[in-house]
Amino acid sequence: LAVGGFSRDGYSFMGWSTNADATAPDYAAGATFTVGSTDVTLYAIWQASETIRTVRFDANGGTGSIADFSGPVGSSFTLPSSGFTRDGYTFQGWALSSTATSYDYAPSSLFTIGSSDTRLYAVWQPVIPQQFVRFDANGGEGTIADISGSAGATITLPSGGFTRAGYI
């Protein structure tokens, strides 16, 4: 018995059965079949093929390379903690969109391969340089440690720490 013109995406043909719900064939492809005295319907029996999908990594403005990962649908692997660099930015994680501002998947988290190929984009956060507020005794004595903060941050100024004879 031949397969004929039948095909099914993601499945391999196993054979034929007289039962539409069968999981194993009664007759192999190419086997002989004896026609009886009544009409018979033979149903194609299919087995899901192991589908391999690929996950690709996009630097999304960064540089470097990370090898694609391929595996069967439903399998999991640990996402890279980067491998890309970008001047003035720190790597945050992975997103499904190149325009994402937050990540969908944290670095080193498990990722389960879906039913289609996937592209994961690096998500970057700009490094905001630290600014320092330094305190000068301006003729007084003592020290007050510098205070650092990002541009636009609010800090609390110290209420003392310097002394100067005859002054408050």
mmCIF file of all heavy atoms in Angstrom, residues 76-79 105-106 108-112:
data_model
loop_
_atom_site.group_PDB
_atom_site.id
_atom_site.type_symbol
_atom_site.label_atom_id
_atom_site.label_comp_id
_atom_site.label_asym_id
_atom_site.label_seq_id
_atom_site.Cartn_x
_atom_site.Cartn_y
_atom_site.Cartn_z
ATOM 1 N N SER A 76 14.608 23.011 26.566
ATOM 2 C CA SER A 76 15.040 24.257 27.195
ATOM 3 C C SER A 76 16.556 24.334 27.224
ATOM 4 O O SER A 76 17.235 23.310 27.237
ATOM 5 C CB SER A 76 14.506 24.349 28.622
ATOM 6 O OG SER A 76 13.098 24.376 28.616
ATOM 7 N N PHE A 77 17.050 25.568 27.265
ATOM 8 C CA PHE A 77 18.477 25.798 27.431
ATOM 9 C C PHE A 77 18.664 27.106 28.186
ATOM 10 O O PHE A 77 17.744 27.909 28.287
ATOM 11 C CB PHE A 77 19.213 25.810 26.083
ATOM 12 C CG PHE A 77 18.886 27.003 25.221
ATOM 13 C CD1 PHE A 77 19.746 28.098 25.176
ATOM 14 C CD2 PHE A 77 17.746 27.035 24.439
ATOM 15 C CE1 PHE A 77 19.446 29.191 24.391
ATOM 16 C CE2 PHE A 77 17.449 28.122 23.645
ATOM 17 C CZ PHE A 77 18.306 29.210 23.618
ATOM 18 N N THR A 78 19.857 27.301 28.747
ATOM 19 C CA THR A 78 20.163 28.512 29.509
ATOM 20 C C THR A 78 20.607 29.607 28.549
ATOM 21 O O THR A 78 21.514 29.414 27.739
ATOM 22 C CB THR A 78 21.272 28.238 30.543
ATOM 23 O OG1 THR A 78 20.817 27.197 31.416
ATOM 24 C CG2 THR A 78 21.587 29.477 31.353
ATOM 25 N N LEU A 79 19.945 30.760 28.654
ATOM 26 C CA LEU A 79 20.299 31.886 27.796
ATOM 27 C C LEU A 79 21.673 32.424 28.169
ATOM 28 O O LEU A 79 22.049 32.423 29.345
ATOM 29 C CB LEU A 79 19.261 33.006 27.947
ATOM 30 C CG LEU A 79 17.900 32.727 27.337
ATOM 31 C CD1 LEU A 79 16.911 33.806 27.741
ATOM 32 C CD2 LEU A 79 18.001 32.644 25.821
ATOM 33 N N TYR A 105 13.379 38.124 28.940
ATOM 34 C CA TYR A 105 14.103 36.989 29.517
ATOM 35 C C TYR A 105 15.397 37.500 30.144
ATOM 36 O O TYR A 105 16.196 38.167 29.478
ATOM 37 C CB TYR A 105 14.427 35.942 28.444
ATOM 38 C CG TYR A 105 13.206 35.478 27.697
ATOM 39 C CD1 TYR A 105 12.869 36.026 26.472
ATOM 40 C CD2 TYR A 105 12.368 34.509 28.245
ATOM 41 C CE1 TYR A 105 11.738 35.615 25.794
ATOM 42 C CE2 TYR A 105 11.229 34.097 27.572
ATOM 43 C CZ TYR A 105 10.922 34.654 26.358
ATOM 44 O OH TYR A 105 9.794 34.252 25.690
ATOM 45 N N ALA A 106 15.585 37.188 31.406
ATOM 46 C CA ALA A 106 16.792 37.604 32.117
ATOM 47 C C ALA A 106 18.005 36.816 31.624
ATOM 48 O O ALA A 106 17.859 35.682 31.150
ATOM 49 C CB ALA A 106 16.606 37.379 33.623
ATOM 50 N N SER A 108 20.951 34.322 31.644
ATOM 51 C CA SER A 108 21.146 33.019 32.308
ATOM 52 C C SER A 108 19.852 32.343 32.743
ATOM 53 O O SER A 108 19.891 31.386 33.510
ATOM 54 C CB SER A 108 22.109 33.149 33.503
ATOM 55 O OG SER A 108 23.343 33.662 33.068
ATOM 56 N N SER A 109 18.702 32.830 32.276
ATOM 57 C CA SER A 109 17.441 32.151 32.599
ATOM 58 C C SER A 109 17.199 31.032 31.591
ATOM 59 O O SER A 109 17.836 30.974 30.545
ATOM 60 C CB SER A 109 16.273 33.141 32.603
ATOM 61 O OG SER A 109 16.066 33.690 31.319
ATOM 62 N N LEU A 110 16.265 30.140 31.915
ATOM 63 C CA LEU A 110 15.926 29.054 30.998
ATOM 64 C C LEU A 110 14.990 29.573 29.912
ATOM 65 O O LEU A 110 14.064 30.336 30.195
ATOM 66 C CB LEU A 110 15.246 27.909 31.734
ATOM 67 C CG LEU A 110 16.154 26.968 32.500
ATOM 68 C CD1 LEU A 110 15.337 25.876 33.177
ATOM 69 C CD2 LEU A 110 17.204 26.342 31.604
ATOM 70 N N PHE A 111 15.235 29.147 28.690
ATOM 71 C CA PHE A 111 14.391 29.505 27.559
ATOM 72 C C PHE A 111 13.895 28.215 26.931
ATOM 73 O O PHE A 111 14.680 27.320 26.644
ATOM 74 C CB PHE A 111 15.186 30.324 26.537
ATOM 75 C CG PHE A 111 14.355 30.768 25.363
ATOM 76 C CD1 PHE A 111 13.570 31.899 25.455
ATOM 77 C CD2 PHE A 111 14.356 30.041 24.186
ATOM 78 C CE1 PHE A 111 12.792 32.306 24.380
ATOM 79 C CE2 PHE A 111 13.582 30.443 23.103
ATOM 80 C CZ PHE A 111 12.801 31.580 23.204
ATOM 81 N N THR A 112 12.585 28.112 26.732
ATOM 82 C CA THR A 112 11.993 26.925 26.113
ATOM 83 C C THR A 112 11.734 27.204 24.645
ATOM 84 O O THR A 112 11.107 28.204 24.292
ATOM 85 C CB THR A 112 10.678 26.542 26.824
ATOM 86 O OG1 THR A 112 10.966 26.301 28.199
ATOM 87 C CG2 THR A 112 10.065 25.298 26.199
#
